[in-house]
Amino acid sequence: MLGRMELTGTVKAIIYRSEDTGFTVLELTNEAGEDMTAIGEMPLAGVGERVELTGQWTEHKTYGRQFRAETCKTLAPATLTALKNYLASGLIKGVGESTAQAIVQTFGMETLDVLEKEPARLAEVPGIGQIRAQTIGASYGAQLGLRDIMLGLQKYGVTIGQAMKLYKIYGELCLAKIEENPYRLIDDVEGIGFKTADAIARNGGVEPDAPYRLRAGLKYTLQWARQEGHTYLPREKLVEVAAGLLQAEIAPVERTLTELLLEGQLIQEQLPGEDGIFLPGMFRTEQDCALRLLRLQGQSALDNPFFQPKAQIARLEQQLDITLAPAQRQAVELALKAGALVITGGPGTGKTTILRFVITLLEEMGTEYALCAPTGRAAKRMGEATGRDASTIHRLLEYSYGEGGFGRNAENTLLADVVIVDEMSMVDVPLMAALLRALAPGTRLIMVGDSDQLPSVGPGNVLRDMVDSGQIPVVRLTEIFRQSGRSAIVTNAHRINEGQMPILEGLEDFGFEPMEEQEAVIRRLIALNSGKAAKLGAQEPLQDIQVLAPMKKGPLGVYNLNKRLQEALNPPAHKKKERKYGDVVFREGDKVMQIKNDYRLAWTRSLPHQPPEMGEGVYNGDLGTIMSIDLYEQTLEVLFDDGRSAVYSFSMLEELELAYCISIHKSQGSEFPIVLLPLLGGPPMLLNRNLLYTAVTRARHMVYILGRQSCVQQMVRNNQVKRRYSGLARFLCRQKELLP
């Protein structure tokens, strides 16, 4: 690959163009008369036009040498032939080859001026009457209008892709809509949030204290809070954060908030010690969760004369040669009769044993049940642990991306008597609400998880709120069983959870390497991931080892560690193709993670001596390797750890992240053979006991910490968790008072 260059030529043909993104593949002839291929976002380039490109030369394995354009400036056709080809390209309605030839013969190089300024003169061309002249002039004017709009949008800092979206929605009114209220783009245009709309507004000269800017800023702050896991914000905090974001005075922000509350666009609810401000949708969703959970509680076991839980449990204990602990027996018994039940406990406390008992007894009674978990990896683990089919909650509820909703809902409920959910700590409020709405009257809900894990990535704190409310039956598992007790990972996890320092020396499956310098930690992480990991027992380091980081930013944050590990483990090479997406470079051979559930993405799996298996669905948390990148087709192929292969278009790259290192939050619901954990220091709110506990419990065979013992100690001592503003516990208590 050569450096940045300039290329000028005349467009010979448009091979491909995406109407959504403006991505174009075109053939052009340079000024030396040589034909070549150029690719890039060039929505306005037309046949016959001269273009001025800047970019780089690339080599495609199938299509050969191509110029990848980063910028494209269109120029007027420079010759009569180019002018004729431009008119005949199909760009202008009513102009074909012969008509284009006749127009150019009549007006010569003045043709474009005539089309723009005096279209009526087209009637001077033999074969063109007044009506046809008007049609041709209007079509050319529309093309000029599109170009003017595109150029006009550039002053607002709008990208080509955004400009194409805007034009599709608003048409010729694009500029007028933006000038009227740029913040309307947040609601009207997918992919444009407050920051983009605000940048457009400021580029357009919108005043900092404009009323519609303050209103948009307040709503955005609550949307940002939702992304941070909150379902509401205290009034004072909302005003403070919004004023800081907007760089505005407190008083006008407060006045604007009052207006939004009076209009019903936001909701204020009195909560213990504070007034909480909700987006209306989130308020209704959290209240709905509370009411439906309490209704579940009033349900009991199915009317079955053979239902004898104590006797059935005792018989199964004898049959399986397993003696349940009292808390386990209580959990199994309640699971068979309670309308709603939470079973919570740390690693090694027997949650899987309880599930196996419950499932076996349900099957003996002929009870229909469904097993599910929030993520694909968690569902896979649940299925392996129970020996039964388990799905994601989204798949169970038949989520449709095309329709943007769940196929299973209050009108089309699940065909199950009991639904069992694992990894409940990962379930957020919107997903919980969707699940509860899909339960038919009489269906019971068993929820299993570890309330000491990090809360869900999405908004709410469902598991913790249910436990803290005292309104939902809860069985707490605290006893560590013999087999698990031999694991230092399990032992240390419980020590951490109880505020005790983990044992760091003399253990086979829990290691600690003291280090003081950030660069030394990075070099050691690279060495361990490079195959120099015999002491860790890694057969295939890239698959077996997972680096987890407490933070995203900083030298030992996810972003930098991914960059450094990528540079060392998969450096650029002449034969390795790559694609930049935002600040990330995806390269053939990279380790990547799927970061959202995509039920539509097709995959294939090839097994020896078997026909290829085909299916759909790639899930949040799935890990894989980039096998190939096709710059011409604009696609990228990922081979996942379980043998599935999926092809992504470049427009889908937002679904992928580099995964040499992932955040501890992103690791929830997953297990890895070996976990490497760099710990040197960081913000106190991030370095807490909860985070360390979650990281340690992600490892199946080995935890290896690199850093300072004092940092580990700091995390164990710091039991302060960043507060998550959620109202479910309060609503559960309040709704209890309202129920008959």
Side-chain angles (χ1 to χ4, degrees):
M1 186 178 290
L2 301 177
R4 187 179 174 89
M5 300 182 62
E6 293 185 357
L7 176 65
T8 302
T10 301
V11 179
K12 185 177 180 181
I14 305 294
I15 300 170
Y16 169 80
R17 172 168 286 152
S18 168
E19 294 184 4
D20 293 327
T21 65
F23 177 80
T24 304
V25 180
L26 56 81
E27 287 187 10
L28 59 81
T29 305
N30 69 6
E31 298 190 333
E34 302 167 323
D35 290 340
M36 53 197 62
T37 302
I39 61 176
E41 292 182 343
M42 299 177 284
L44 299 179
V47 173
E49 284 188 308
R50 289 174 68 234
V51 291
E52 196 173 84
L53 311 177
T54 61
Q56 299 175 326
W57 285 103
T58 61
E59 192 73 28
H60 191 276
K61 66 179 180 181
T62 303
Y63 303 104
R65 196 166 183 246
Q66 300 175 329
F67 191 83
R68 173 169 289 280
E70 297 173 8
T71 66
C72 174
K73 182 180 179 182
T74 57
L75 308 169
T79 66
L80 290 175
T81 300
L83 187 56
K84 188 263 292 181
N85 291 338
Y86 171 66
L87 295 182
S89 66
L91 194 69
I92 303 171
K93 186 178 180 181
V95 179
E97 187 85 20
S98 59
T99 302
Q101 182 69 41
I103 293 173
V104 171
Q105 282 181 344
T106 303
F107 300 113
M109 295 305 295
E110 295 180 2
T111 293
L112 296 183
D113 283 336
V114 171
L115 284 166
E116 180 182 358
K117 300 172 183 176
E118 301 176 280
R121 288 186 61 193
L122 291 171
E124 300 173 16
V125 179
I128 297 180
Q130 289 290 342
I131 295 176
R132 192 179 177 193
Q134 290 175 6
T135 301
I136 294 172
S139 178
Y140 183 72
Q143 290 299 319
L144 283 182
L146 172 60
R147 184 162 297 182
D148 289 342
I149 289 169
M150 290 294 181
L151 293 173
L153 289 173
Q154 288 181 11
K155 78 173 185 179
Y156 292 101
V158 175
T159 67
I160 292 290
Q162 291 168 340
M164 298 295 290
K165 287 182 180 179
L166 291 173
Y167 188 76
K168 274 193 157 186
I169 294 171
Y170 299 133
E172 295 178 359
L173 298 175
C174 266
L175 295 173
K177 293 288 186 182
I178 289 177
E179 289 168 1
E180 179 187 340
N181 180 6
Y183 298 97
R184 71 187 302 155
L185 305 183
I186 300 169
D187 297 323
D188 294 351
V189 185
E190 185 180 354
I192 292 185
F194 175 81
K195 290 185 177 179
T196 300
D198 196 46
I200 293 171
R202 302 304 300 273
N203 287 333
V206 172
E207 294 297 323
D209 58 351
Y212 57 70
R213 182 172 186 263
L214 299 184
R215 295 167 74 91
L218 279 161
K219 291 180 181 179
Y220 168 75
T221 302
L222 285 173
Q223 291 163 353
W224 163 84
R226 172 177 168 143
Q227 293 171 0
E228 292 295 306
H230 309 294
T231 61
Y232 75 92
L233 284 179
R235 179 166 183 147
E236 289 184 4
K237 187 173 184 66
L238 170 60
V239 171
E240 179 188 345
V241 174
L245 168 76
L246 297 163
Q247 296 184 327
E249 298 294 327
I250 293 290
V253 175
E254 182 71 53
R255 285 195 301 271
T256 304
L257 173 58
T258 300
E259 292 171 4
L260 290 170
L261 291 170
L262 290 171
E263 295 168 9
Q265 296 196 45
L266 300 178
I267 293 175
Q268 181 168 301
E269 181 74 7
Q270 182 149 10
L271 299 168
E274 60 197 14
D275 290 327
I277 309 296
F278 292 78
L279 290 166
M282 184 55 67
F283 177 80
R284 290 190 293 269
T285 300
E286 204 160 28
Q287 277 208 328
D288 188 52
C289 276
L291 192 56
R292 291 179 183 274
L293 278 168
L294 292 167
R295 286 173 178 167
L296 279 178
Q297 234 187 290
Q299 301 174 168
S300 59
L302 298 174
D303 186 16
N304 189 328
F306 303 103
F307 181 62
Q308 302 289 332
K310 286 185 169 56
Q312 289 172 294
I313 293 169
R315 178 186 50 76
L316 191 56
E317 284 181 301
Q318 188 175 7
Q319 181 181 322
L320 299 176
D321 194 24
I322 295 174
T323 301
L324 297 177
Q328 288 181 301
R329 192 173 295 111
Q330 180 195 14
V332 175
E333 189 172 338
L334 280 173
L336 295 175
K337 60 183 183 181
L341 174 68
V342 172
I343 302 170
T344 182
T349 56
K351 296 191 295 294
T352 299
T353 300
I354 292 170
L355 284 180
R356 289 171 179 162
F357 265 70
V358 171
I359 290 168
T360 302
L361 292 171
L362 289 174
E363 289 172 345
E364 289 181 355
M365 293 187 293
T367 303
E368 294 290 331
Y369 66 88
L371 306 180
C372 61
T375 68
R377 287 181 78 86
K380 182 181 177 184
R381 285 177 55 208
M382 188 184 192
E384 291 170 348
T386 61
R388 309 297 196 276
D389 290 336
S391 72
T392 65
I393 299 174
H394 279 80
R395 182 169 288 281
L396 179 69
L397 300 182
E398 300 176 8
Y399 186 78
S400 169
Y401 275 87
E403 299 178 8
F406 294 99
R408 296 290 179 176
N409 48 47
E411 288 73 41
N412 183 29
T413 55
L414 290 167
L415 303 175
D417 302 314
V418 178
V419 174
I420 304 174
V421 187
D422 199 11
E423 296 287 354
M424 266 301 300
S425 64
M426 301 178 66
V427 177
D428 60 27
V429 167
L431 187 57
M432 186 65 177
L435 176 62
L436 290 168
R437 283 194 289 268
L439 300 183
T443 299
R444 293 175 289 126
L445 182 63
I446 303 169
M447 298 164 282
V448 183
D450 185 351
S451 60
D452 292 319
Q453 293 278 358
L454 293 170
S456 59
V457 175
N461 203 357
V462 175
L463 180 58
R464 175 78 68 168
D465 279 358
M466 286 192 297
V467 172
D468 291 347
S469 73
Q471 305 301 321
I472 307 295
V474 176
V475 177
R476 299 177 185 269
L477 306 173
T478 57
E479 183 178 348
I480 304 173
F481 294 94
R482 188 178 304 168
Q483 186 175 358
S484 298
R486 290 198 294 265
S487 164
I489 297 172
V490 171
T491 301
N492 275 338
H494 284 272
R495 288 179 66 89
I496 291 166
N497 203 30
E498 293 165 5
Q500 301 176 41
M501 192 67 181
I503 301 167
L504 300 178
E505 297 179 358
L507 302 174
E508 291 185 3
D509 57 353
F510 203 106
F512 174 77
E513 190 169 338
M515 308 191 81
E516 292 292 329
E517 300 294 331
Q518 292 172 341
E519 186 59 32
V521 172
I522 294 172
R523 288 197 299 268
R524 185 59 174 152
L525 288 172
I526 291 170
L528 293 171
N529 277 277
S530 300
K532 301 173 184 177
K535 65 185 296 182
L536 302 182
Q539 300 298 314
E540 299 182 22
L542 198 63
Q543 282 74 42
D544 293 346
I545 296 175
Q546 184 59 59
V547 181
L548 301 182
M551 301 159 291
K552 290 185 176 181
K553 299 179 180 179
L556 295 182
V558 172
Y559 301 139
N560 187 57
L561 286 180
N562 265 321
K563 182 180 178 182
R564 293 292 300 276
L565 287 165
Q566 182 191 44
E567 289 173 353
L569 304 176
N570 190 34
H574 179 68
K575 294 184 178 180
K576 283 185 181 179
K577 291 186 284 296
E578 58 187 50
R579 169 72 177 185
K580 189 173 183 182
Y581 186 80
D583 296 329
V584 179
V585 174
F586 292 104
R587 185 175 297 130
E588 291 175 341
D590 276 336
K591 182 178 181 179
V592 292
M593 172 183 272
Q594 177 78 11
I595 59 172
K596 63 187 293 187
N597 291 329
D598 188 340
Y599 297 97
R600 298 175 299 175
L601 185 59
W603 55 262
T604 59
R605 178 162 40 208
S606 298
L607 300 172
H609 315 298
Q610 294 184 30
E613 182 185 357
M614 303 177 69
E616 292 183 342
V618 179
Y619 307 114
N620 181 20
D622 284 350
L623 290 167
T625 304
I626 298 176
M627 303 305 293
S628 64
I629 296 177
D630 191 322
L631 297 175
Y632 184 83
E633 297 290 343
Q634 298 277 289
T635 60
L636 176 153
E637 182 183 5
V638 176
L639 178 64
F640 291 99
D641 292 353
D642 60 0
R644 291 172 302 148
S645 178
V647 176
Y648 294 74
S649 67
F650 284 175
S651 62
M652 298 167 60
L653 291 183
E654 64 180 7
E655 296 186 13
L656 294 174
E657 284 184 355
L658 292 178
Y660 298 99
C661 173
I662 63 176
S663 71
I664 296 172
H665 281 84
K666 282 284 177 66
S667 73
Q668 287 177 264
S670 299
E671 273 191 352
F672 311 100
I674 300 165
V675 166
L676 301 184
L677 191 57
L679 296 176
L680 274 183
M685 286 306 295
L686 288 177
L687 298 182
N688 57 56
R689 186 188 303 173
N690 195 206
L691 200 72
L692 180 60
Y693 173 77
T694 300
V696 168
T697 55
R698 298 309 90 203
R700 192 180 306 126
H701 302 307
M702 179 72 164
V703 173
Y704 200 75
I705 300 174
L706 301 91
R708 299 189 185 111
Q709 187 167 325
S710 61
C711 185
V712 178
Q713 195 170 40
Q714 174 193 348
M715 295 183 77
V716 171
R717 289 176 177 173
N718 182 11
N719 201 27
Q720 298 297 311
V721 180
K722 182 181 178 183
R723 183 181 174 187
R724 177 165 286 203
Y725 299 104
S726 61
L728 182 60
R730 176 61 176 167
F731 291 147
L732 279 167
C733 295
R734 184 175 298 174
Q735 296 284 14
K736 183 79 170 180
E737 300 167 2
L738 301 177
L739 284 176

